[in-house]
Amino acid sequence: MEFNILDADAQSNARAGLIKTDHGEIETPIFMPVGTAGSVKAVHQRELKDDIEAQIILGNTYHLYLRPGLDIIRAAGGLQRFNGWQGPILTDSGGYQVYSLSDTRKITEEGVHFKSHIDGSKHLFTPENVIDIQRAIGGDIIMAFDECTPYPCEYPYARNSLDMTHRWLKRCCDRFDQTPALYEYSQALFPIVQGSTYADLRKESAEVVASFERPGNAIGGLAVGEPAEMMYKMTDEVCQILPKNKPRYLMGVGTPANILESIALGIDMFDCVMPTRNARNGMLFTSEGIINIKNKKWQDDLSPIDENLGGYVSQSYSKAYLRHLIISKEILGAQIASIHNLSFYLWLVKEARRQIIGGSFASWKTAMVKKVSGRL
Amino acid sequence: MEFNILDADAQSNARAGLIKTDHGEIETPIFMPVGTAGSVKAVHQRELKDDIEAQIILGNTYHLYLRPGLDIIRAAGGLQRFNGWQGPILTDSGGYQVYSLSDTRKITEEGVHFKSHIDGSKHLFTPENVIDIQRAIGGDIIMAFDECTPYPCEYPYARNSLDMTHRWLKRCCDRFDQTPALYEYSQALFPIVQGSTYADLRKESAEVVASFERPGNAIGGLAVGEPAEMMYKMTDEVCQILPKNKPRYLMGVGTPANILESIALGIDMFDCVMPTRNARNGMLFTSEGIINIKNKKWQDDLSPIDENLGGYVSQSYSKAYLRHLIISKEILGAQIASIHNLSFYLWLVKEARRQIIGGSFASWKTAMVKKVSGRL
């Protein structure tokens, strides 16, 4: 994996870069649609490419390991061959899902014992086997196995958890370095900064993470309920330590405003279920602000979903038609809203990149944060 | 509306024809995907056109009248302008839905009093207002309001019901002839043959329906639970009376085998929810037979869904991936299976047409009925 910074904003830490993977290039800053179980919900693979113009999508280790399981993914030759998405894929390590989805789980130094949310079967994730699993799934970028602390989190718990996450990181890196990629392309391992909302822990973690000298670095454990200002403060502290010449990935973030503010702090990569999950519930992100399409005010609005966005769904379907579909619980409503919201997120980061390169990012960001946060 | 027969099979009553509407041509025999509430479930409008190669789709008067309502459809300029499907549309009259969906309904000579299945509100459908509603929805082909008798049905009930359906038909035709189309294209009204499973009633109804000299004729009240042989017998009797030079539409039919057998009897048009409804449940119709994709045997099958069918979904996604999506209740599973099944149905009628024109329909049909009815 290669990363080059093409331009940096003079008034912030924002940068425009280019990641090269064996499955193609990624222009940063980038938003990565979430394809939890091997599918970005309600979106065809060709729509990801042609309509949304996604450059990389996510898969999830916890979900894919449980279903469909590794045998079939290995037999297919990796996740891309299995699901037909031909661009780069990043797999999350499953750390977050083990904590949020499993009924019962027990964290030990060895790893995490958990029960499947699907059939109650018992499993153990360790730093080592999570690397093995991600080798089998075959993401271009794979993530270290960590503990994602909740918010709020007492200092002593955060302190101890962080130490263990760092020991696990060493085990992840060792396993990664001792094992080959299983398919005909290379994989990069990203370590994850933790430390809850404590600046000293975050700084320490960023130093440790940086010391592993991996091709890219991630920040986890944020956007878990803390105030946005606290998230920005932690992100800022960490970005000042993580090496400038490597991509920085802020996991699970966030709203359009969160993304713009974090780009200004030096973040290059984002993922979040918000654009797709909220779409299924009728919440649309547009270039003019947020729309709850279920509101009666859109009932007679025959204008396109977003006049400023190109693309089939944003232009071909009206707000009134989409409202009718969502109200009637028609599957096509979820499809249209998901493609639209993801198109908007990809448009937003592409536009941010263009503004960084053009030298106008700071003023554009201020205006845009206000616009995209308002409700229409 | 124009209809021309291009070729007729020498060994059966099958024919290959061409319907011309103001929204485009329809090659018959044709299958019409069902877009009940203004959307063919889980399918984008461009997919109907480009992948499925649909030539006409259905809308439903009962559903569209209740939601989104006529005001917005009128404001849009008809259903095509509202939902973005630019080809021909046929609207069912709502007769069937009033009986099957409404909690309580009372049939009188005037019409049918019923309660909305959505909010319990009370409504009255009459032959006159159902024509008015279909004028507002704006289908290229609209249907007479009838009583669809259940199966089994006692002779005296069927006799009385048929007489009323014929009186209603007169009222539908009068209203239709007294009212203009609301948009810049013309509409055609199809009357419907009823008569349950009684040959004498069916023949009488076919005579009455034919006497109204409309551009096309339909057969309703079949595929409601009676044995297939009984359905074929009724269809055969009716087809011998309905004029040859007009399209014949067998409503709500059916399985691939039902369609092939009915084409042989002289039917030109079909609709059915089966390909989309069964798709969402994991049942696939393929050129080699029926697949229950949930079965374990498809778990490791990385071959395309249907090797004999062209098209994006049938070729780009494997059986194993589709099985994973359906088992995981991923929306994309419903999307892929729906496009595939509809593509198969459209392929089937296109192939039937090619065989009729080529003079090989009878032998092809015998082999194909066997093939498409088997389970893989």
Side-chain angles (χ1 to χ4, degrees), chain A residues 37-38 46 51 321 324 330, chain B residues 37-38 41 46 51 321 324 330:
Chain A
R46 68 172 170 193
D51 296 295
Y321 181 58
H324 163 63
E330 286 285 333
Chain B
K41 291 188 196 304
R46 68 173 169 190
D51 296 295
Y321 181 58
H324 164 62
E330 286 284 334

Side-chain angles (χ1 to χ4, degrees), chain B residues 310-325:
Chain B
Y312 172 70
V313 308
S314 309
Q315 288 295 322
S316 306
Y317 298 114
S318 67
K319 297 185 185 81
Y321 181 58
L322 178 56
R323 179 179 188 275
H324 164 62
L325 295 176

Side-chain angles (χ1 to χ4, degrees), chain A residues 37-39 41-42 44-47 51 67-68 72 82-83 299 312 317 321 324-325 328 330-332 335, chain B residues 37-39 41-42 44-47 51 67-68 72 82-83 299 312 317 321 324 328 330-332 335:
Chain A
S39 155
K41 290 186 197 305
H44 277 285
Q45 272 57 315
R46 68 172 170 193
E47 292 169 338
D51 296 295
R67 199 168 54 191
I72 180 63
F82 182 62
N83 73 3
Q299 184 171 260
Y312 172 70
Y317 297 114
Y321 181 58
H324 163 63
L325 296 176
S328 305
E330 286 285 333
I331 295 175
L332 184 59
Q335 295 173 243
Chain B
S39 155
K41 291 188 196 304
H44 278 284
Q45 273 58 314
R46 68 173 169 190
E47 292 170 337
D51 296 295
R67 195 166 59 189
I72 181 63
F82 181 61
N83 72 4
Q299 184 170 260
Y312 172 70
Y317 298 114
Y321 181 58
H324 164 62
S328 305
E330 286 284 334
I331 295 175
L332 184 59
Q335 296 174 243

Side-chain angles (χ1 to χ4, degrees), chain B residues 267-317:
Chain B
I267 297 294
D268 308 293
M269 303 165 72
F270 301 89
D271 80 283
C272 191
V273 295
M274 195 179 283
T276 39
R277 180 176 291 168
N278 291 17
R280 297 195 295 280
N281 203 28
M283 182 175 168
L284 305 180
F285 298 98
T286 81
S287 59
E288 297 294 332
I290 294 167
I291 286 178
N292 179 350
I293 200 71
K294 289 180 176 175
N295 284 349
K296 189 118 181 158
K297 67 182 287 193
W298 307 112
Q299 184 170 260
D300 303 320
D301 192 327
L302 292 165
S303 68
I305 297 168
D306 192 338
E307 315 229 26
N308 301 324
L309 248 66
Y312 172 70
V313 308
S314 309
Q315 288 295 322
S316 306
Y317 298 114

Side-chain angles (χ1 to χ4, degrees), chain A residues 173-220:
Chain A
C173 289
D174 287 348
R175 184 63 153 229
F176 181 82
D177 294 340
Q178 291 155 9
T179 54
L182 297 186
Y183 313 113
E184 73 286 10
Y185 54 89
S186 64
Q187 298 181 290
L189 172 65
F190 281 22
I192 303 172
V193 172
Q194 289 287 348
S196 186
T197 50
Y198 304 105
D200 62 324
L201 297 184
R202 285 282 171 185
K203 284 188 212 173
E204 179 189 322
S205 187
E207 300 281 2
V208 170
V209 157
S211 74
F212 280 89
E213 296 186 344
R214 297 289 148 171
N217 299 295
I219 308 172

Side-chain angles (χ1 to χ4, degrees), chain A residues 51-274:
Chain A
D51 296 295
I52 293 162
E53 298 182 18
Q55 299 183 37
I56 172 172
I57 65 170
L58 249 68
N60 188 276
T61 298
Y62 171 88
H63 287 274
L64 293 166
Y65 160 80
L66 290 177
R67 199 168 54 191
L70 302 184
D71 287 350
I72 180 63
I73 296 177
R74 255 191 301 250
L79 186 53
Q80 275 103 342
R81 294 285 183 83
F82 182 62
N83 73 3
W85 161 257
Q86 290 168 1
I89 290 180
L90 180 151
T91 50
D92 193 2
S93 67
Y96 181 78
Q97 283 68 30
V98 164
Y99 309 116
S100 61
L101 288 180
S102 177
D103 285 342
T104 60
R105 61 201 161 51
K106 195 182 163 197
I107 305 171
T108 68
E109 187 67 27
E110 183 191 14
V112 183
H113 295 264
F114 65 96
K115 276 191 185 172
S116 160
H117 72 291
I118 299 167
D119 62 5
S121 55
K122 291 180 181 176
H123 302 269
L124 168 66
F125 272 178
T126 67
E128 290 80 10
N129 76 12
V130 163
I131 295 299
D132 295 345
I133 293 168
Q134 291 183 96
R135 286 289 197 195
I137 296 172
D140 300 82
I141 300 173
I142 70 177
M143 303 302 299
F145 190 61
D146 59 350
E147 183 181 3
C148 179
T149 51
Y151 176 83
C153 180
E154 295 293 325
Y155 189 88
Y157 189 95
R159 165 82 270 167
N160 289 333
S161 168
L162 184 62
D163 290 340
M164 188 183 68
T165 281
H166 291 161
R167 290 191 298 273
W168 283 4
L169 174 55
K170 172 76 168 64
R171 289 165 58 190
C172 283
C173 289
D174 287 348
R175 184 63 153 229
F176 181 82
D177 294 340
Q178 291 155 9
T179 54
L182 297 186
Y183 313 113
E184 73 286 10
Y185 54 89
S186 64
Q187 298 181 290
L189 172 65
F190 281 22
I192 303 172
V193 172
Q194 289 287 348
S196 186
T197 50
Y198 304 105
D200 62 324
L201 297 184
R202 285 282 171 185
K203 284 188 212 173
E204 179 189 322
S205 187
E207 300 281 2
V208 170
V209 157
S211 74
F212 280 89
E213 296 186 344
R214 297 289 148 171
N217 299 295
I219 308 172
L222 292 175
V224 292
E226 78 284 1
E229 287 312 315
M230 198 174 273
M231 174 172 82
Y232 297 144
K233 185 173 183 318
M234 294 299 123
T235 301
D236 192 20
E237 298 277 7
V238 168
C239 282
Q240 289 179 35
I241 296 168
L242 290 180
K244 279 203 168 127
N245 62 340
K246 292 175 182 175
R248 302 179 186 126
Y249 164 28
L250 182 56
M251 303 179 78
V253 173
T255 65
N258 290 159
I259 286 175
L260 295 180
E261 297 293 3
S262 303
I263 288 172
L265 300 174
I267 297 294
D268 308 292
M269 302 165 72
F270 301 89
D271 80 283
C272 191
V273 295
M274 195 179 284

